[in-house]
Amino acid sequence: MRIVDLRSDTVTLPTPAMRQAMFDAELGDDVMGEDPTVNRLEAMAAERLGKEAAVYVPSGTMANLVCLLSHCARGEEAIMGHMAHTFLFEAGGSAAVGSIHPRTVPNQIDGTLDLDDVEAAIRDPNNAHYPRTRLICLENTHNRCSGAVLTPPYMAQVRTLANRYDLKIHLDGARIFNAATALGVTAAALTRDVDSVSFCLSKGLSAPVGSLVCGSAEFVWEARRQRKVLGGGMRQAGVLAAAGIVALETMVDRLAEDHANARRLAEGLAPLPGIVLDPARIQTNIVIFDLAPGAPPAAGVVAGMAAHGVKMGVVGPRRIRAVTHYGIGTDDIDQALAAASVVLEESRA
Ligand code: TLP
C-alpha cells in the first residue's frame, strides 16, 4: 500500500540535486565565518527577503528563539497570537531560556491579530507594575490558522502601530514563500515592515535541515551571538547549507502545486458527512478541518485513515490537520479522499 503522509511538510526528503550539491559542497569553519557555502546561502536569503544580512541556524524553533533573545531582555514582554507557533509549540523556550514574558492576544481566523487588541496589550512604560513591552510577533503563513496569509497592507498597519510605541516586529516566516506564492508577491514585500524574520528550508522547500534569520546587519550580529549561546554554531555546515541553496533556487516556484493539491483535498473533504470545512479558506498548503458532533473524534478518524495508508495529524479533540508538499501528487490526494470517504461513511453505518 502506498503511504500518503500528510502529517506535515517537514517530512519532505531532499531532492537528488540537493544530495549532489551536499556531496560537492565547498566547506570551511562557519563559526569562524569561513564556510563559503553557508556564506552564499546567507547572502541569498538576505537578498530574497530584502534584508541586509542573514544567519543560518539548525531549526525554525532556534531561529525564532534567537530572534526573541536578540530583541528582548529578561522580564520584557513579547505580544503574540494565542495560536502562534512560538507560543504553542516551541517548548516555552523564550520564557525558559530568555525569561521573556509572552503576552497573547487572540488570533483571528485569518491569522491576523486585531490591531485594537494589540494596542490594548501594550504596557504603559511609566507604570512600575508592568513588564516592558518590546516586541510584536506575527506568523506568515499561519500554521494553526490553516496556512492563512498576512498581506503587505496588514504588515504596514502593524508597522505603523509598532512605530507609535517604539516596538520591534518579529515575523515567524517558516512558510514565507508559501505566503508570497499565494499572494503573487515577492517574499521581500512581506518582510519590508519587520525588524526580523525567520524562515525554514526544511518544510515546503524540502531541504533536510535549517532555517535562516534575516534582518539588519546589526540585528544579525546579535542573532549570531545568541545562536552561539544556544549551541547552534555549526562548523562545516555548508554540507547542509548546500541543500538550502538548491531549495531556494529550485523549490520556490513549485509551491503553487502544493496549494492546488491542498485546495483539491479541501474541496473533496468538505462534502463528506461529519466534516466541517470551508474550502475557500484554504490559501496555501495546510488544510485544517473539524468533525461535527456525531462524527467520531479526531483520533478515531486519523487511526481509520492510517489503516488505509493515509497519515494526517490530530490537532484537537475534533480537529485534524493535513499538509501538502513535494512528496504529494494529485493521485495521493485522491487516495486520501477515498480513505476519508470510507472512514466517515463507515462511522455512520
Ligand atoms: N511546525 C511543525 C510542528 O512543530 C508543528 C509542523 O509540522 O508544522 N514556525 C512555524 C510556523 C512552524 O510551523 C514550525 C514547525 C516552526 C516554526 C518550527 O520549525 P522546526 O520544526 O524546524 O523547529
Side-chain angles (χ1 to χ4, degrees):
M1 183 173 27
R2 179 167 161 80
I3 301 298
V4 177
D5 194 346
L6 297 166
R7 288 172 303 166
S8 182
D9 46 8
T10 59
V11 303
T12 43
L13 298 175
T15 64
M18 288 180 195
R19 290 178 189 264
Q20 188 61 48
M22 293 170 79
F23 185 81
D24 293 336
E26 218 186 315
L27 304 175
D29 187 328
D30 178 51
V31 175
M32 298 182 186
E34 291 174 4
D35 188 301
T37 309
V38 172
N39 291 343
R40 193 166 150 232
L41 173 64
E42 291 177 345
M44 274 177 82
E47 199 257 328
R48 292 282 185 106
L49 296 205
K51 298 294 178 198
E52 279 175 3
V55 57
Y56 184 52
V57 298
S59 69
T61 300
M62 192 186 285
N64 286 331
L65 181 54
V66 151
C67 289
L68 268 80
L69 292 173
S70 300
H71 285 300
C72 304
R74 280 173 67 87
E76 292 183 339
E77 198 163 67
I79 295 173
M80 59 189 79
H82 78 299
M83 292 201 288
H85 194 277
T86 308
F87 181 62
L88 291 179
F89 302 116
E90 294 177 15
S94 63
V97 181
S99 300
I100 297 163
H101 199 243
R103 175 84 183 271
T104 56
V105 299
N107 272 114
Q108 306 300 306
I109 196 171
D110 62 0
T112 60
L113 306 178
D114 184 294
L115 295 181
D116 290 337
D117 291 341
V118 174
E119 187 161 12
I122 298 169
R123 310 281 193 162
D124 174 359
N126 298 316
N127 187 327
H129 294 87
Y130 295 147
R132 288 199 181 96
T133 309
R134 229 10 125 203
L135 184 66
I136 301 171
C137 298
L138 298 171
E139 188 174 315
N140 198 10
T141 67
H142 202 289
N143 186 339
R144 280 303 150 118
C145 295
S146 209
V149 300
L150 304 181
T151 63
Y154 175 74
M155 299 304 292
Q157 285 174 17
V158 179
R159 180 77 265 168
T160 304
L161 177 63
N163 286 350
R164 265 203 279 143
Y165 291 91
D166 199 18
L167 304 181
K168 303 288 186 194
I169 303 175
H170 169 63
L171 178 65
D172 176 350
R175 297 183 179 83
I176 193 72
F177 290 102
N178 293 85
T181 301
L183 289 165
V185 300
T186 60
L190 295 169
T191 57
R192 190 177 296 140
D193 288 311
V194 305
D195 299 287
S196 60
V197 51
S198 58
F199 75 90
C200 293
L201 297 165
S202 182
K203 298 197 165 57
L205 301 185
S206 301
V209 179
S211 287
L212 276 303
V213 166
C214 308
S216 68
E218 190 186 2
F219 177 82
V220 168
W221 172 245
E222 182 57 27
R224 211 173 271 285
R225 284 196 71 255
Q226 296 298 344
R227 180 186 71 168
K228 193 73 184 113
V229 169
L230 298 176
M234 299 177 284
R235 300 293 176 174
Q236 285 69 34
V239 74
L240 301 170
I245 292 172
V246 177
L248 283 178
E249 282 172 342
T250 66
M251 302 302 279
V252 173
D253 288 345
R254 59 155 306 285
L255 291 173
E257 274 174 50
D258 297 342
H259 300 176
N261 281 331
R263 186 57 90 91
R264 181 185 181 98
L265 179 66
E267 281 167 359
L269 286 171
L272 297 180
I275 287 190
V276 183
L277 167 64
D278 176 4
R281 281 198 45 235
I282 306 307
Q283 297 173 288
T284 59
N285 68 329
I286 300 180
V287 179
I288 293 182
F289 58 94
D290 288 322
L291 296 158
V301 172
V302 165
M305 301 276 289
H308 293 266
V310 178
K311 297 183 179 180
M312 293 186 177
V314 174
V315 295
R318 309 197 71 78
R319 186 164 286 183
I320 294 176
R321 184 181 80 149
V323 186
T324 58
H325 51 79
Y326 178 55
I328 299 294
T330 51
D331 289 358
D332 298 313
I333 299 298
D334 295 343
Q335 183 178 331
L337 290 172
S341 171
V342 171
V343 169
L344 288 157
E345 292 293 351
E346 268 171 4
S347 74
R348 284 214 303 185

